Amino acid sequence: MDKKRDIIIVKTSEALAEKGASLFSEMALASTAEKDRFTVALSGGSTPRKMHVMFGQDPYRSSIPWNGVHLFWGDERCVPETSRWSNYGLAKGDFLERLDIPVENIHPMPGHLPPEEGASLYEKEITGGFDLVFLGLGSDGHTASLFPGHTALEERRRWVVAVRGGRPDVHRLTMTLPLINRAEKVVFLVSGAEKAEVVKSILEDGNSDLPAGRVSPVSGTLLWVLDWEAASLLKKETARG
Ligand code: 6PG
């Protein structure tokens, strides 16, 4: 097994959220102790929401050194922040409004701007690689807003680009593979039986054509955290990581 890739399987989506939150907390404490800063990119969609809610509750609300934590997003839909499709808008309600975190530490993608302008602006806000990037997985193998067959997958220079697609099929901003793969640690959180086929395709059949299959940190580590349903088609030897 690739030494830089690990797989952790937990029983339920709640256990998945707790695993993600505890990983985040451990890394935030270590990183802020070492360099007064922890830079993380959150993923969108529904899977991370239980984890996000945990961030807004004790122990995480009071134990994570939020003053040193800088929150970015791996992708965003170009919709109003009040839309149910806004990753930032959901995060605000799920936990941001409950945190004592400096407003300058929160870096939403500017989905309200013309997409190309928003992509260029956000890129300027990113000063280097991330300590941690959370990613989700679509059943078609997309991650962030990098969709199969899209030209954004071939981007080699830019760190943030504007795309169109997904569900909802709207304009989006997304981090690119060059930026994602600069991270110290990339963590996929994947839950549900509807992801089992694509999880097997990537983790067991080695399908590196799919966007999520092309996430491979250059010098960092890659962790897949799956619940039983998402891991249900993996052979035991694969699941051992
Ligand atoms: C997005 C997400 C996307 C998501 C997957 C899985 O903004 O659409 O970043 O990549 O992680 O589509 O979504 P679910 O967690 O809702 O299954």
Side-chain angles (χ1 to χ4, degrees):
M1 182 57 58
D2 180 340
K3 67 176 173 40
K4 294 198 298 183
R5 185 190 84 182
D6 278 321
I7 300 173
I8 294 176
I9 298 172
V10 295
K11 189 171 180 181
T12 64
S13 60
E14 289 74 18
L16 187 87
E18 176 52 42
K19 185 65 189 170
S22 60
L23 273 168
F24 180 108
S25 175
E26 282 161 36
M27 290 186 72
L29 287 163
S31 186
T32 51
E34 181 197 334
K35 56 184 180 177
D36 284 334
R37 186 182 173 101
F38 176 57
T39 306
V40 56
L42 299 174
S43 71
S46 57
T47 302
R49 295 195 62 188
K50 286 178 183 169
M51 176 178 72
H52 292 168
V53 168
M54 288 180 172
F55 289 151
Q57 298 169 341
D58 282 336
Y60 299 110
R61 182 171 177 275
S62 52
S63 64
I64 289 173
W66 295 105
N67 270 338
V69 176
H70 283 262
L71 298 171
F72 292 77
W73 274 261
D75 71 320
E76 185 57 279
R77 297 80 179 273
C78 297
V79 296
E81 168 187 311
T82 50
S83 161
R84 70 189 179 98
W85 297 112
S86 167
N87 290 331
Y88 170 65
L90 289 177
K92 259 182 87 173
D94 288 344
F95 73 107
L96 290 174
E97 289 170 342
R98 292 176 187 73
L99 289 191
D100 184 11
I101 182 171
V103 65
E104 61 271 17
N105 286 27
I106 302 172
H107 308 267
M109 285 185 155
H112 58 289
L113 295 178
E116 286 300 340
E117 184 184 331
S120 301
L121 188 67
Y122 202 63
E123 203 166 68
K124 293 185 179 66
E125 207 165 332
I126 297 168
T127 52
F130 284 81
D131 296 306
L132 172 61
V133 172
F134 277 117
L135 291 174
L137 177 67
S139 50
D140 63 351
H142 83 260
T143 191
S145 283
L146 297 169
F147 298 101
H150 201 286
T151 52
L153 276 176
E154 307 315 322
E155 176 60 47
R156 289 287 168 269
R157 188 180 50 80
R158 294 183 59 190
W159 284 356
V160 181
V161 295
V163 300
R164 168 93 201 227
R167 188 184 69 81
D169 180 4
V170 293
H171 288 288
R172 294 158 174 257
L173 303 181
T174 185
M175 290 186 179
T176 60
L177 288 169
L179 179 56
I180 292 169
N181 286 332
R182 277 174 64 96
E184 282 306 306
K185 190 175 193 70
V186 177
V187 177
F188 277 93
L189 297 178
V190 189
S191 169
E194 72 278 9
K195 309 290 176 74
E197 277 288 343
V198 70
V199 163
K200 179 181 182 303
S201 173
I202 293 171
L203 294 184
E204 196 154 284
D205 308 339
N207 185 337
S208 58
D209 292 333
L210 294 172
R214 296 171 64 168
V215 172
S216 177
V218 176
S219 56
T221 57
L222 175 60
L223 173 64
W224 286 75
V225 187
L226 313 168
D227 67 11
W228 275 6
E229 287 189 349
S232 57
L233 296 180
L234 292 180
K235 294 187 189 110
K236 281 193 177 30
E237 54 272 28
T238 309
R240 274 196 287 273

